[in-house]
Amino acid sequence: MAKLPKQLAKAEAEGWAHWIKSEADERAVLAGCYFDQDAADQIVTFFEKYLTHTMGRFAGQPFTLLPWQKDEILQPLFGWKKENGNRRFSKGDIFVAKKQGKSTLAAGLCNFFLLTSGHRSEVYGVAHTREQAGIIYREAAAMAKSSPQLSKVLAVRDSNKRILYKATNSFYQAVPGEASARGIEGINPVAVVMDEIHSMRSRVLYDGLAYSSAARPRSLFLSVSTVGIADRTSIWWEQYEYARGILAGDIHDTNRFAYIAQADEECDDDFEECGNPEQWAKAMPSLGVTVDEDTVRRHWLEAKNSPAKQNAFRRYLLNRPTASVDRIVPMSAWYECATDLPELRGRECFGGLDLASREDLASYTLLFPGTEDDPRSFVLAWCWAPEVTIKEREARGMHHYRQWVDEGWLLPCGAKSIDHDLISSTIKESAELYNLVEVGVDPFGADAVFNKCLNDGLPLVRCSQSVFAMTPGTRAILEDIAEQRIFHDGNPVLSWCLSNCAALENSDGGIKFDRKTSSDKIDAAVALTMARARALAAENKPKNEPPALYF
């Protein structure tokens, strides 16, 4: 940073020092970047001179940019240049609350790239579904039709959601993410604008589009979205965390643009604070223009009286990542309890085994209760899947399966189905290392493991999976996590399973973990619940009474 004062003085003399707003900007200046005000003015002029609003109360009026659109998004994106004159930013993420004009801004950008990027330019507007992709397209097409200047040179083709600029043989094309990676091989885009990345499921499509843009030195890959469900295995979460790291100065990437408008973290736990207009303004920079305070206040009051709606309010209007409404595990508390585990050899523990099916995830979990010397409980988990399952999940865009294998968290176990002998051996080895008191076992499909372990003298207990039988362990685990008294090594498979847990309740107040979709695996969470149930049963059992082998 020794050269920085000199570079800042140069920027001051040239009149663009006020655009150096962050540590990332300072690093860019040291790398030879500068701010081109003429380029920044060009994009602003395009929006405000050639585009009009096409719907709502502003329909037909010139597209006058709001301060945040002009000063925080467009001018920095297009004004910052590298030493060679190319734009500084080749990739970027914008996260802002709903109803802030994100899709309208994205549509205008698509038209700008189409008209200014030279011969045979390809511009793509991408979203998870055909309907969502159509939102940007319809807005871009409406802009092209309503502008006296654009309507003369752009041809709109609604049948295939394409806009043509025949003078340069260029086009804009809407792409639905549900088509996955089919059809994107060989494309060469100057711009990809991805709408609502939080809904995107195919990493294959995302990566294919991102790397295809790399062939053009002046290309831009930009996602514009509201935040989504706090799923750490998702594409959007990965990009969101990266953007947060850039803004915090923890990640040094001068080529990546990041803008996040969201309420403060305290809103995650305090819904009264969610009703503070100052928090609304932080997440909704278009507040008072595209949405008024009375409307937001009405939504807040409704959610205040209906807790089921509070997460939706936080996510859509405060731009705060949340668990799904029906998810019940307090994951923020769980993640805070990740730690380096102490030496556990010889320590008393209780196990839980969930085999689910022979073709999918299986898990064996150990719970080590607190002791007089260390009141904390600790968790160890083993998770397995057959090779064919890992490959199938990877082919469907669930690349976290392969990543977990590479990192040692998910263990391949058989070619086409679970190898029960390997699991039996793991249980036996754990009994030799630790003081294994009992192992609760889901009886469904577990006979091979159950009988082998019994023959080896291991203390297995059949655990019914009924709501009645699972309630004590489920309630205890939820309390342990909420009170942050159960610690773990950060196993991402176990964390993923816990984050997928919804509640299945009965009229008597019973509760057990449940999954809402077939892809939401909870096997490791169920195994942990059974381990906790066995530990709870041991607490209430007279001393010296031998373990019951059937429950």
Side-chain angles (χ1 to χ4, degrees):
M1 292 289 186
K3 296 181 180 179
L4 185 59
K6 182 179 179 180
Q7 298 289 72
L8 294 178
K10 182 175 182 291
E12 186 71 43
E14 294 176 356
W16 54 273
H18 61 287
W19 288 107
I20 305 172
K21 301 178 179 180
S22 65
E23 181 181 330
D25 294 338
E26 292 178 350
R27 291 182 179 276
V29 169
L30 286 172
C33 294
Y34 64 95
F35 195 87
D36 182 347
Q37 189 62 57
D38 289 339
D41 291 341
Q42 182 188 22
I43 184 67
V44 172
T45 298
F46 176 79
F47 269 81
E48 299 192 337
K49 183 177 180 180
Y50 298 107
L51 301 182
T52 61
H53 290 284
T54 64
M55 65 175 67
R57 61 192 176 104
F58 298 111
Q61 297 182 24
F63 199 125
T64 302
L65 292 165
L66 297 174
W68 75 277
Q69 296 172 325
K70 178 180 177 180
D71 301 330
E72 303 294 332
I73 304 294
L74 295 179
Q75 290 200 85
L77 264 177
F78 290 87
W80 274 103
K81 298 290 186 67
K82 294 181 180 179
E83 197 169 13
N84 62 8
N86 290 338
R87 280 191 305 275
R88 167 187 162 186
F89 298 112
S90 57
K91 195 174 183 182
D93 297 281
I94 298 169
F95 291 100
V96 67
K98 278 196 172 299
K99 302 303 180 185
Q100 302 305 296
K102 299 187 304 297
S103 297
T104 305
L105 192 69
L109 281 171
C110 289
N111 279 330
F112 177 80
F113 275 105
L114 178 57
L115 288 163
T116 63
S117 299
H119 286 280
R120 299 184 64 190
S121 295
E122 302 174 19
V123 180
Y124 296 92
V126 187
H128 172 53
T129 64
R130 191 173 302 278
E131 291 74 18
Q132 186 67 37
I135 292 175
I136 297 181
Y137 165 76
R138 286 192 297 272
E139 188 62 32
M143 287 176 173
K145 293 175 182 178
S146 63
S147 168
Q149 298 88 351
L150 271 59
S151 62
K152 294 177 182 178
V153 296
L154 296 181
V156 175
R157 299 287 185 265
D158 288 333
S159 60
N160 58 358
K161 292 185 173 60
R162 178 172 286 215
I163 302 175
L164 304 174
Y165 182 32
K166 295 182 179 180
T168 61
N169 196 24
S170 301
F171 65 85
Y172 160 78
Q173 178 67 57
V175 177
E178 61 193 15
S180 190
R182 297 190 301 273
I184 68 166
E185 295 297 331
I187 69 171
N188 190 20
V190 296
V192 174
V193 179
M194 183 168 285
D195 194 25
E196 302 297 9
I197 190 177
H198 70 82
S199 299
M200 191 66 62
R201 296 171 185 168
S202 173
R203 186 174 297 274
V204 175
L205 175 65
Y206 181 89
D207 290 343
L209 290 168
Y211 286 108
S212 67
S213 302
R216 298 241 190 181
R218 297 187 180 184
S219 66
L220 178 66
F221 184 98
L222 184 69
S223 72
V224 184
S225 182
T226 302
V227 301
I229 300 298
D231 178 0
R232 299 189 178 209
T233 68
S234 64
I235 303 167
W236 90 263
W237 181 269
E238 181 181 294
Q239 307 312 312
Y240 169 73
E241 286 289 274
Y242 199 88
R244 289 213 313 166
I246 290 174
L247 294 173
D250 299 327
I251 295 176
H252 301 156
D253 186 345
T254 59
N255 300 314
R256 184 76 168 261
F257 178 81
Y259 177 83
I260 301 177
Q262 63 183 172
D264 294 335
E265 189 174 346
E266 61 191 288
C267 291
D268 295 348
D269 301 310
D270 183 358
F271 199 70
E272 285 296 326
E273 184 61 20
C274 294
N276 184 347
E278 292 182 4
Q279 298 290 357
W280 305 346
K282 291 180 180 181
M284 294 181 278
S286 298
L287 185 66
V289 180
T290 60
V291 62
D292 59 71
E293 286 195 10
D294 286 342
T295 300
V296 180
R297 185 173 290 106
R298 186 170 67 251
H299 284 299
W300 176 73
L301 287 171
E302 186 177 339
K304 184 179 179 181
N305 295 314
S306 179
K309 298 179 181 179
Q310 291 180 7
N311 271 358
F313 182 92
R314 289 184 174 100
R315 185 152 66 91
Y316 294 128
L317 296 183
L318 299 185
N319 206 36
R320 296 295 311 176
T322 67
S324 178
V325 172
D326 55 6
R327 300 304 195 237
I328 61 171
V329 178
M331 292 306 296
S332 58
W334 171 260
Y335 288 127
E336 288 182 15
C337 289
T339 187
D340 293 329
L341 298 184
E343 174 57 58
L344 297 171
R345 188 184 298 266
R347 185 160 162 171
E348 181 180 86
C349 63
F350 297 82
L353 175 65
D354 188 273
L355 293 179
S357 71
R358 291 181 62 89
E359 292 78 34
D360 214 330
L361 201 65
S363 181
Y364 172 56
T365 302
L366 291 181
L367 175 72
F368 297 80
T371 65
E372 291 184 3
D373 296 331
D374 188 350
R376 298 174 297 171
S377 295
F378 296 98
V379 177
L380 276 178
W382 291 261
C383 298
W384 298 273
E387 281 285 359
V388 68
T389 299
I390 296 168
K391 292 177 181 178
E392 286 175 354
R393 298 292 187 274
E394 187 176 17
R396 281 192 258 167
M398 301 175 70
H399 290 258
H400 47 280
Y401 267 69
R402 180 59 61 185
Q403 180 181 343
W404 291 336
V405 170
D406 293 342
E407 294 175 351
W409 299 109
L410 181 61
L411 306 173
C413 183
K416 295 183 179 180
S417 62
I418 291 290
D419 182 350
H420 286 163
D421 288 341
L422 180 57
I423 294 177
S424 300
S425 298
T426 300
I427 298 173
K428 186 175 181 180
E429 290 170 6
S430 70
E432 294 170 355
L433 285 173
Y434 313 111
N435 179 14
L436 183 60
V437 180
E438 287 183 6
V439 179
V441 182
D442 175 2
F444 178 76
D447 284 344
V449 173
F450 192 86
N451 293 330
K452 182 174 179 57
C453 288
L454 282 182
N455 291 335
D456 290 336
L458 298 175
L460 268 60
V461 179
R462 291 186 185 271
C463 290
S464 167
Q465 299 298 292
S466 68
V467 174
F468 174 78
M470 295 295 285
T471 293
T474 303
R475 292 199 181 282
I477 279 295
L478 289 174
E479 290 173 5
D480 289 344
I481 295 173
E483 296 296 326
Q484 296 185 21
R485 55 186 181 229
I486 184 168
F487 293 80
H488 55 94
D489 58 1
N491 187 316
V493 189
L494 174 58
S495 297
W496 180 58
C497 288
L498 284 167
S499 72
N500 288 334
C501 288
L504 180 63
E505 301 178 81
N506 63 19
S507 58
D508 296 326
I511 185 173
K512 62 176 283 190
F513 289 151
D514 187 38
R515 63 185 188 182
K516 289 298 182 181
T517 72
S518 60
S519 62
D520 292 343
K521 304 305 177 187
I522 63 172
D523 308 81
V526 172
L528 177 58
T529 302
M530 287 190 286
R532 184 66 178 92
R534 301 323 304 155
L536 194 63
E539 292 175 14
N540 301 320
K541 187 167 55 178
K543 290 185 177 180
N544 302 321
E545 181 179 319
L549 293 183
Y550 295 92
F551 175 78

